[in-house]
Amino acid sequence: MEIAFADAKLQKLCSNQGKLVGKYGPRLAVVIQRRLADLEAAETLEVMRTLPGRCHELRENLSGCLAIDLVHPDRMVFRPKQPPPVNDDGQLPWNQVVAIEVVGIGDYHN
């Protein structure tokens, strides 16, 4: 899957192990890199349903975004880069999502 980032600062952070460790600590940095590698290796978002991290759609003020668990309570939040049309039941067709944009990392519950 193609991965883009919402801004250059987030892209620099996620592409630099030292910066990730400095900001999030070694444990979370490793999990962030693992989740990014999983996303990149996935042909479509549907694959993420079978991998660790509980990839799930968000609601309310984060509607249209998805999250994947990192180290509790932190999550990686992303959205389809080119949103496919919704299914007849109004749901996102995960098997059609081939590109995403990472919009943030952290605890969005605060």
Side-chain angles (χ1 to χ4, degrees):
M1 186 170 348
E2 177 188 329
I3 300 174
F5 294 87
D7 58 52
K9 183 178 177 183
L10 183 59
Q11 183 173 7
K12 275 186 176 181
L13 177 66
C14 288
S15 63
N16 185 304
Q17 172 71 15
K19 288 183 181 188
L20 277 174
V21 171
K23 181 166 176 97
Y24 297 111
R27 180 174 175 221
L28 185 52
V30 166
V31 176
I32 291 168
Q33 289 185 317
R34 186 176 307 135
R35 297 291 186 260
L36 286 169
D38 288 346
L39 286 162
E40 188 173 24
E43 189 173 317
T44 69
L45 188 59
E46 185 68 32
V47 172
M48 297 307 296
R49 290 185 194 260
T50 65
L51 299 176
R54 196 180 63 91
C55 189
H56 56 285
E57 293 181 52
L58 301 176
R59 296 175 286 174
E60 297 177 20
N61 63 329
L62 290 172
S63 180
C65 291
L66 297 97
I68 189 165
D69 292 348
L70 299 171
V71 175
H72 185 75
D74 294 312
R75 292 173 175 85
M76 181 181 303
V77 178
F78 59 92
R79 62 181 163 233
K81 194 168 177 193
Q82 304 289 321
V86 294
N87 289 336
D88 292 338
D89 59 2
Q91 298 297 309
L92 176 70
W94 288 39
N95 63 343
Q96 293 180 28
V97 177
V98 296
I100 62 161
E101 179 180 57
V102 178
V103 296
I105 297 170
D107 180 6
Y108 55 77
H109 293 107
N110 292 330

